């Protein structure tokens, strides 16, 4: 039976990868490859943009986390994780303002204009790590369905899945990513409906049992909800997969897509947490998607596999297209961008992002940029209209990275943990860190205002 399941899983990975390659458009022009703009000047429409936003964030790791949080905390866990979709509202509003009031045509354009080339490179380093992490963190989830970590089947699945996804993204760049995202979003919705149609009747058919699960206390998941709300003020801006899509369609249509994506994405994540809640009702433990699949049989196991493959592919192709834009357009010199360079950038990121899969867990942990490490981006983007000096950028980003490093290394003091439960230290660190980032951002800004009033020279401003 196990061999039969593996055969089906391989057929799904290869079949879906080849299907996406045949459906993906071939892009030859820069605008099509990097901005998904067609020859006639047509830009991505509302449904394509919104579906791409949603599915690119419903990646393999995120839906696994949502299910596991449902298993641990009931609906509270699902709602807490869905709280991160507030990021779409924040990013949508800020990007709309940057475009309509600021006249900026990209995040990098804004940073270059406000804080200089150095800030652009620091910011690009942060998002490069983010893109780098997205490759291995998603492919590892796929590999785990083909064997234990370190096994031949595990490594083979990682390599084949990465190669197939890279192939269809190389074909059309962002145009390929958006079109396949729309298809993958539709497929995800159908498969999620199938899973819910199985687990809800098996639990007595009472949706209220799922909606009433969990306890709404800080110690049982609400801590994480507040963390999600806090990090949503900064988290979206270090994700180029999210922000790149904010500059490829008309501003009003883009804002509408972001707002709808927030609602749809949050609902999808909460519904997927039902998988974990079902596991809780059945007394299961471990990885919720895997254990629930085993309980419900081969059919649901294959459906779950397709969901994981679909969600991982949608994020991976977006990662490749954003990586190409980062290195060739955002950091490249004007007039030198080519489709060929974009394809080479994708291939390099695919290779470098896959190498950590063959490393130990300590290496993977060391290469991770957490949501806490980028909390310093909040005052920079939420106060985009303030003409703060470059020092404000560096102090805010530095304070956020320092907070994240202290927390990740386990040095956060117990005396500064004010909340109970598993995520009490995380919430405490984000509150303190966010406050410090805002404080350090406004010190140079306040001094620059004071200096102008007193006619003092202000460092960092020409």
């Amino acid at each position: 039976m196990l061999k039969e399941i593996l055969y089906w899983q391989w057929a799904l990975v290869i079949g879906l990868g080849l299907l996406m390659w045949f459906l993906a458009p071939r892009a030859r022009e820069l605008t099509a490859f990097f901005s998904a703009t067609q020859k006639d000047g047509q830009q991505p429409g509302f449904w394509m943009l919104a579906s791409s936003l949603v599915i690119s964030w419903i990646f393999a790791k995120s839906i696994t986390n949502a299910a596991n949080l449902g298993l641990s905390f009931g609906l509270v866990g699902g709602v807490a994780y869905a709280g991160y979709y507030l990021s779409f509202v924040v990013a949508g509003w800020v990007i709309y303002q940057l475009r309509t009031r600021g006249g900026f045509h990209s995040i990098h354009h804004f940073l270059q204009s406000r804080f200089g080339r150095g800030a652009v490179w620091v910011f690009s380093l942060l998002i490069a790590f983010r893109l780098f992490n997205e490759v291995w963190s998603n492919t590892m989830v796929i590999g785990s369905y083909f064997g234990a970590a370190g096994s031949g089947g595990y490594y083979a699945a990682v390599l084949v899945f990465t190669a197939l996804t890279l192939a269809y993204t190389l074909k059309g760049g962002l145009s390929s990513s958006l079109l396949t995202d729309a298809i993958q979003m539709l497929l995800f919705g159908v498969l999620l409906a199938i899973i819910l149609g199985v687990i809800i009747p098996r639990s007595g058919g009472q949706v209220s049992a799922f909606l009433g699960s969990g306890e709404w206390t800080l110690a049982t998941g609400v801590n994480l909800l507040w963390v999600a709300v806090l990090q949503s003020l900064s988290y979206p801006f270090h994700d180029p997969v999210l922000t790149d899509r904010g500059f490829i369609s008309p501003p009003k249509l883009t804002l509408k897509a972001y707002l709808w994506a927030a609602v749809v994405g949050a609902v999808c994540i909460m519904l997927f947490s039902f998988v974990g809640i079902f596991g809780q009702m059945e007394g299961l433990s471990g990885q919720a998607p895997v254990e629930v699949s085993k309980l419900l049989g081969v059919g649901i196991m294959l459906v779950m596999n397709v969901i994981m493959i679909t969600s991982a592919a949608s994020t991976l192709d977006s990662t490749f297209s954003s990586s190409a834009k980062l290195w060739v357009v955002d950091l490249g010199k004007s007039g030198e961008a080519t489709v060929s360079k974009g394809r080479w950038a994708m291939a390099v990121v695919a290779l470098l992002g896959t190498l950590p899969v063959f490393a130990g867990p300590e290496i993977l942990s060391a290469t991770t940029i957490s949501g806490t490490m980028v909390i310093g981006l909040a005052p920079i983007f939420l106060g985009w209209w303030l003409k703060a000096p470059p020092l404000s950028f560096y102090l805010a980003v530095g304070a956020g990275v320092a907070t994240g490093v202290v927390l990740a290394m386990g040095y956060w003091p117990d005396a500064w943990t004010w909340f109970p439960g598993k995520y009490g230290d995380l919430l405490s660190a984000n509150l303190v860190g966010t406050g410090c980032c805002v404080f350090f951002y406004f010190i140079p800004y306040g001094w620059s205002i004071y200096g102008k009033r007193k006619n003092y020279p202000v460092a960092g401003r020409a």
Side-chain angles (χ1 to χ4, degrees), residues 114-454:
R114 283 284 193 266
F115 306 108
R117 190 66 174 172
V120 169
W121 279 98
V122 170
F123 176 75
S124 297
L125 180 63
L126 290 176
I127 65 175
F129 269 105
R130 162 81 184 198
L131 293 168
F132 174 73
N133 294 337
E134 289 289 4
V135 178
W136 60 258
S137 64
N138 280 280
T139 57
M140 284 176 64
V141 174
I142 299 302
S144 66
Y145 282 83
F146 290 81
S151 66
Y154 172 86
Y155 287 135
V158 167
L159 294 174
V160 171
F161 175 74
T162 303
L164 288 171
T165 307
L166 175 64
Y168 76 73
T169 315
L170 287 172
K171 188 178 177 184
L174 188 58
S175 293
S176 290
S177 180
L178 289 180
L179 178 61
T180 55
D181 282 352
I183 297 169
Q184 289 156 344
M185 182 65 211
L186 179 61
L187 183 58
F188 175 86
V190 172
L191 296 173
L192 178 58
I194 292 173
I195 291 175
L196 294 176
V198 172
I199 65 175
I200 291 177
R202 283 198 53 154
S203 302
Q206 297 295 321
V207 177
S208 58
F210 290 85
L211 298 179
S213 60
E215 297 181 13
W216 291 88
T217 67
L218 286 173
T220 55
V222 176
N223 270 344
L224 183 60
L225 175 59
W226 285 114
V227 170
V229 171
L230 271 175
Q231 290 190 355
S232 292
L233 303 178
S234 55
Y235 193 86
F237 302 110
H238 92 299
D239 181 8
V241 170
L242 176 63
T243 56
D244 284 350
R245 284 156 172 75
F247 295 89
I248 60 176
S249 296
K252 287 187 177 180
L253 182 148
T254 300
L255 178 59
K256 181 182 176 182
Y258 271 74
L259 296 178
W260 274 102
V263 176
V264 174
V267 170
C268 286
I269 284 295
M270 283 189 287
L271 288 176
F272 202 85
S273 73
F274 279 25
V275 172
I277 298 171
F278 173 77
Q280 185 185 73
M281 294 175 180
E282 296 292 326
L284 302 179
S285 60
Q287 293 291 316
V290 175
E291 299 305 319
V292 170
S293 296
K294 290 179 181 178
L295 179 66
L296 297 179
V298 176
I300 292 300
M301 185 176 293
L302 292 175
V303 169
M304 196 74 73
N305 288 345
V306 176
I307 280 188
M308 291 298 175
I309 294 167
T310 299
S311 57
S314 66
T315 302
L316 198 57
D317 63 41
S318 297
T319 297
F320 292 148
S321 61
S322 289
S323 297
K325 179 177 179 292
L326 172 64
W327 295 113
V328 179
V329 177
D330 295 328
L331 294 179
K333 294 182 179 179
S334 177
E336 294 185 0
T338 65
V339 171
S340 178
K341 288 181 180 180
R343 288 180 172 138
W344 275 109
M346 290 181 183
V348 171
V349 169
L351 174 62
L352 296 179
T354 301
L355 291 178
V357 173
F358 299 89
E362 296 81 7
I363 299 297
L364 296 180
S365 178
T367 61
T368 298
I369 292 291
S370 71
T372 302
M373 291 183 186
V374 295
I375 54 177
L377 298 177
I380 294 168
F381 286 97
L382 295 183
W384 67 270
W385 65 90
L386 301 174
K387 295 184 178 180
L391 183 59
S392 289
F393 173 90
Y394 294 110
L395 289 179
V397 170
V401 171
T403 303
V405 169
V406 168
L407 183 64
M409 296 182 68
Y411 294 147
W412 187 257
D414 292 336
W416 288 12
T417 299
W418 305 307
F419 306 99
K422 180 178 179 181
Y423 300 102
D425 57 344
L426 181 60
L427 177 56
S428 300
N430 275 266
L431 279 172
V432 173
T434 300
C436 288
C437 292
V438 172
F439 178 73
F440 285 123
Y441 182 81
F442 278 99
I443 287 179
Y445 175 68
W447 179 251
S448 70
I449 298 298
Y450 178 76
K452 287 177 181 178
R453 289 177 179 175
K454 296 294 184 179

Side-chain angles (χ1 to χ4, degrees), residues 63-74 272-273 276 286-290:
I63 59 178
T64 299
N65 288 342
N68 287 341
L69 286 168
L71 181 65
S72 299
F73 302 114
F272 202 85
S273 73
Q287 293 291 316
V290 175

